[in-house]
Amino acid sequence: MPGRQAGVRIVSLLPAATDIVAMLGLTGHLVGRTHECDWPPGDLADVPTVTGTSLPEALTSREISAATAGGAHRGSSLYQLDVTMLEDLKPDLILTQDLCDVCAVSYARVNDAVRLIDLDTRVVSLEARTISGILDTVDAVAALTDTRGRAAEIRADAERRLAALPGPSSDAPTVLFVEWLDPLMPGGHWVPEQIAAAGGRSLLLGPGAHSTPHLWSVVADLAPDVVVFGPCGFTPERTIDELSVAAGQPGWADLPAVRQGQVWVVDGPAYFNRPGPRVVDGAEILAAILAGRPDSRARQVSVGAG
């Protein structure tokens, strides 16, 4: 896209990409977004949505899991892409991903759509699996939009803030981050790094690892000191409504985290689930939890045995 950066028209098909676009100061260049893009608040109201989902609202995590694994829904078939609108918007740059089939419209599907409607558009897949990788994706978008200076500022700020956190230690409290409730899926990819930066030890997964379902009995055996719930796509209120799933598991009431009142709910989509720069905020939230400092972005909850 040489020579076109000044007026680049961007369609973001990934909420994390929208976060990056906003942080680079490019919200005014955003001509299309997903139905899940919700940050920055108030700045996206006039940006058309080019995706939708076939999933009904208010499903439980178990119902969502059944729908995404069943024959009627496979990966990005959960999402509808408005190809006609995409053609009308004539974007220069489309940002998408191929990391998670149930998180967004896939790179392959977007490429197929672009070929079908013969757009002169660059499709870029953002595939971050670690915090360093997230910052690299910021640099990649900046390189395509002549905003390298702003990207350098974002990286420097992130690295400074992460360096100010306690960091890992051998005697750090063990932390289970729950990315999905039913079935249980621990936070993977960059989440173990967030935990380590905050001064904790991640259970079940290490940095960069992809999350897979685990039995709740494994949690009982590991006896975490702290449990943090931040399910993908769930608001804190919706998460709290489903905590009975955890409370009903054998051995839940005996976990050190439960006995010591160290069970927390956070906003997963805002600070943990999406590969955008706000994962640094997530690490700071975890550090506050582990240090016993109040943080309005984390809710301490009492979840007894069900």
Side-chain angles (χ1 to χ4, degrees):
M1 294 174 358
R4 296 169 64 185
Q5 289 91 333
V8 62
R9 295 169 61 82
I10 304 170
V11 167
S12 171
L13 299 180
L14 183 66
T18 302
D19 286 13
I20 291 170
V21 167
M23 288 190 172
L24 289 172
L26 295 167
T27 307
H29 294 267
L30 197 62
V31 298
R33 62 181 174 94
T34 78
H35 61 287
E36 294 181 318
C37 294
D38 54 10
W39 191 88
D43 288 1
L44 304 177
D46 296 329
V47 180
T49 57
V50 297
T51 66
T53 180
S54 57
L55 284 178
E57 293 184 9
L59 293 181
T60 66
S61 55
R62 169 56 66 178
E63 291 168 338
I64 292 171
S65 296
T68 56
H73 300 291
R74 282 291 180 186
S76 58
S77 63
L78 292 169
Y79 299 93
Q80 293 82 47
L81 178 62
D82 191 330
V83 178
T84 300
M85 181 179 289
L86 195 64
E87 184 175 21
D88 291 342
L89 292 172
K90 295 180 173 56
D92 301 304
L93 176 64
I94 299 176
L95 302 173
T96 185
Q97 60 89 48
D98 235 12
L99 183 63
C100 175
D101 282 345
V102 295
C103 292
V105 181
S106 73
Y107 174 70
R109 188 175 174 199
V110 176
N111 264 325
D112 288 344
V114 168
R115 284 195 296 268
L116 177 67
I117 57 183
D118 196 26
L119 281 177
D120 181 18
T121 300
R122 183 162 188 172
V123 181
V124 175
S125 181
L126 306 181
E127 303 293 336
R129 289 172 169 81
T130 63
I131 293 177
S132 176
I134 290 170
L135 298 177
D136 288 344
T137 63
V138 176
D139 290 339
V141 176
L144 294 167
T145 56
D146 272 355
T147 53
R148 291 179 180 87
R150 176 57 186 146
E153 293 172 359
I154 292 170
R155 180 181 286 272
D157 176 68
E159 291 174 347
R160 174 188 59 78
R161 290 162 60 194
L162 289 169
L165 296 178
S169 65
S170 59
D171 60 348
T174 56
V175 180
L176 173 69
F177 188 96
V178 179
E179 186 175 87
W180 198 247
L181 273 156
D182 195 7
L184 167 69
M185 295 181 71
H189 297 135
W190 48 86
V191 173
E193 289 182 282
Q194 290 176 290
I195 293 170
R201 284 183 290 155
S202 173
L203 292 178
L204 297 177
L205 295 178
H210 184 69
S211 186
T212 56
H214 286 69
L215 296 175
W216 277 95
S217 58
V218 175
V219 174
D221 292 339
L222 291 173
D225 298 312
V226 179
V227 177
V228 181
F229 291 94
C232 188
F234 277 30
T235 63
E237 292 76 18
R238 188 173 178 186
T239 300
I240 290 170
D241 286 344
E242 260 200 69
L243 288 184
S244 58
V245 171
Q249 301 301 320
W252 170 260
D254 296 325
L255 296 182
V258 176
R259 294 199 309 267
Q260 297 163 16
Q262 290 300 309
V263 180
W264 299 80
V265 170
V266 295
D267 189 333
Y271 305 115
F272 297 94
N273 311 148
R274 299 174 180 174
R278 287 191 292 162
V279 297
V280 178
D281 295 77
E284 291 172 337
I285 292 168
L286 291 178
I289 288 173
L290 297 180
R293 298 193 309 269
D295 190 303
S296 61
R297 298 168 295 182
R299 303 187 190 183
Q300 192 171 16
V301 293
S302 177
V303 188

